[in-house]
Amino acid sequence: MGKGMSSGVARGSAGAAGTKNLSELQEYMESNYGILIGRSLERIEFSLAREMAIGMEEMLNEFPELRELPLHLEATLTGREAYAGATVDGGILLQPDRMRTTESTKALYDKDLSGGYHPEGTTYSNISVHEMGHQIEATLLHRQIPGNSNAAREKRLEAWRTSRVAEGIISKALDRAMPEWRKNSRLAASAIRSISGYAAVNASETMAEAISDVFSNRQRAKPLSRAIWNVAKEELAR
């Protein structure tokens, strides 16, 4: 995983979970959320593609502002030892060599989970939730650097590469969760590692893993994860 529940649908409806094939899923996600589901999803088991779409749908209920992006789901990530990746322009790209079937993906995720690489209490279903966590960062970047000129796109991409937005959110969250961190940076590093091993990679992964942690564990999530979730909510609501 890496950079690389919706207001428009009643909670009582089956939602994406009620779709029976890729065509139905494509129609449902585009009609209700404007999310494009690419034909490349034919490369993976439908139940797995649907599970990833469900994660996106549920995250849109939590963070409806993400609809500002042209979100799309594809199975086109290559050349990486990752389940999936996110792009600054709303893309969530699955790695079909690692996400071929539900059974194989679950086995790989469970192995990583047992090693502490992802937050306790999460499952393979959190893969798209994690990537939607990256889209929180992308949404805020598009607000800060609007426009479709080459210059604007380059500025967004550079800010995305350097985790500028995520670093700001995490700093604010650390100030709330443990204000003493500014005098002892090891406290921050320890709190980040407590979320998951992957959270320690960089600020963007810290943020995405924290979002995944709270999504699944709610009040049982790590204190820093909860603080990051709350700051992200506030930043999006501005």
Side-chain angles (χ1 to χ4, degrees):
M1 294 186 288
K3 285 183 173 177
M5 283 158 193
S6 164
S7 305
V9 177
R11 284 294 194 125
S13 67
T19 60
K20 297 179 178 62
N21 54 54
L22 187 58
S23 294
E24 285 187 11
L25 183 64
Q26 289 172 318
E27 181 179 358
Y28 174 80
M29 295 299 284
E30 184 170 6
S31 297
N32 287 282
Y33 305 104
I35 295 177
L36 297 179
I37 305 294
R39 290 189 63 184
S40 58
L41 271 292
E42 293 174 348
R43 300 171 67 186
I44 70 175
E45 189 175 71
F46 171 67
S47 62
L48 180 57
R50 180 174 58 195
E51 195 67 33
M52 296 303 103
I54 291 169
M56 295 177 74
E57 179 176 36
E58 292 179 342
M59 278 290 287
L60 283 167
N61 282 316
E62 296 284 1
F63 298 95
E65 296 88 354
L66 297 184
R67 294 182 74 164
E68 295 173 22
L69 292 175
L71 294 168
H72 51 103
L73 179 65
E74 299 279 357
T76 56
L77 189 66
T78 60
R80 293 179 57 178
E81 289 298 316
Y83 300 105
T87 73
V88 71
D89 291 317
I92 292 179
L93 312 180
L94 308 180
Q95 165 58 282
D97 291 334
R98 287 178 62 82
M99 294 188 66
R100 183 72 61 182
T101 69
T102 297
E103 183 179 3
S104 64
T105 303
K106 180 181 182 301
L108 285 170
Y109 193 94
D110 286 350
K111 182 179 179 181
D112 286 343
L113 193 63
S114 67
Y117 200 58
H118 294 305
E120 294 179 12
T122 63
T123 73
Y124 76 95
S125 298
N126 285 69
I127 291 171
S128 60
V129 171
H130 172 106
E131 301 307 334
M132 288 289 276
H134 286 306
Q135 297 304 340
I136 294 172
E137 187 178 0
T139 300
L140 294 171
L141 265 178
H142 275 266
R143 291 181 184 178
Q144 291 179 11
I145 310 172
N148 292 313
S149 68
N150 288 336
R153 286 197 292 268
E154 284 299 320
K155 286 181 181 178
R156 279 196 299 269
L157 190 55
E158 180 59 24
W160 177 254
R161 289 175 180 144
T162 57
S163 304
R164 190 179 78 188
V165 166
E167 285 183 352
I169 287 174
I170 291 163
S171 291
K172 289 181 180 180
L174 282 165
D175 285 341
R176 295 183 186 182
M178 50 177 63
E180 65 275 19
W181 79 277
R182 291 191 179 272
K183 295 181 179 179
N184 185 353
S185 61
R186 286 179 295 181
L187 291 174
S190 178
I192 289 169
R193 283 195 302 271
S194 77
I195 297 172
S196 74
Y198 196 36
V201 169
N202 58 42
S204 292
E205 301 306 343
T206 301
M207 182 170 159
E209 288 285 82
I211 295 296
S212 185
D213 183 15
V214 178
F215 179 88
S216 288
N217 296 310
R218 301 298 165 174
Q219 291 305 309
R220 298 190 306 276
K222 296 296 190 294
L224 179 57
S225 293
R226 297 199 303 271
I228 290 170
W229 175 283
N230 290 334
V231 172
K233 284 266 190 183
E234 293 164 13
E235 293 294 320
L236 285 171
R238 289 180 184 274

